[in-house]
Amino acid sequence: MLVINPEQNNTTVRVDACIADEVQQLNDQGIVTLGCCCNHGTAGQNVEWENAFGIWKSHADPPIALIRENSVRAAKKLGYNPYPYYYADGISGGVWQMPLKTGCITEQDCVEWHRRNNLPAEKDLGLLKRGRALNYSPANS
């Protein structure tokens, strides 16, 4: 999905379909999102990745967004609970993270979301259903 974020270098960014409407609404409310991911129904599953600092093991996050520190107050007013984000080198750089209210927690959630919205479960669809009311229940997103 494409989301309009005038505060970014690229004013149109791709976002996972099941969280695109919520991210667009956050941006429309003045919250600057720096990145986001629904994690495609893998919340809680074991994951492993490698970077310049080594091999890491953890659990996949539920749907999440990274926001600018100066957006924290606005996010809290909207009922979000942001907290500092730290990169592998221990530096935050003014980036905060917050769980989203929509998105797919399990793989079945993803299948159901795509079925309900008549969208194929494919990457880079380039669509956004604007004006649709959000249902913040993770099981219904």
Side-chain angles (χ1 to χ4, degrees):
M1 300 292 178
L2 298 177
V3 171
I4 308 303
N5 187 343
E7 298 292 328
Q8 297 282 3
N9 289 335
N10 296 320
T11 57
T12 304
V13 295
R14 293 194 183 277
V15 174
D16 295 322
C18 62
I19 60 173
D21 288 334
E22 181 178 7
V23 172
Q24 182 68 66
Q25 287 186 2
L26 290 170
N27 294 165
D28 291 348
Q29 299 273 343
I31 296 169
V32 179
T33 55
L34 303 172
C36 57
C37 188
C38 81
N39 282 323
H40 314 286
T42 62
Q45 294 180 19
N46 293 325
V47 293
E48 183 177 295
W49 69 96
E50 185 173 356
N51 64 18
F53 297 97
I55 297 174
W56 302 86
K57 293 181 181 182
S58 186
H59 295 97
D61 289 321
I64 197 161
L66 300 179
I67 65 172
R68 280 191 186 162
E69 186 171 29
N70 62 2
S71 294
V72 168
R73 182 174 296 167
K76 287 182 177 183
K77 284 183 180 179
L78 293 174
Y80 290 90
N81 191 22
Y83 53 96
Y85 177 83
Y86 292 95
Y87 295 95
D89 59 3
I91 296 174
S92 172
V95 176
W96 285 57
Q97 60 188 332
M98 64 184 191
L100 294 172
K101 297 175 182 179
T102 60
C104 302
I105 301 296
T106 67
E107 291 176 15
Q108 185 60 37
D109 289 342
C110 289
V111 169
E112 286 299 313
W113 187 92
H114 284 275
R115 183 191 60 74
R116 277 193 320 276
N117 289 280
N118 294 322
L119 291 173
E122 298 174 9
K123 290 184 178 181
D124 301 329
L125 292 173
L127 307 168
L128 180 64
K129 291 185 178 181
R130 295 187 62 86
R132 185 175 68 206
L134 289 177
N135 181 342
Y136 289 123
S137 170
N140 294 324
S141 55

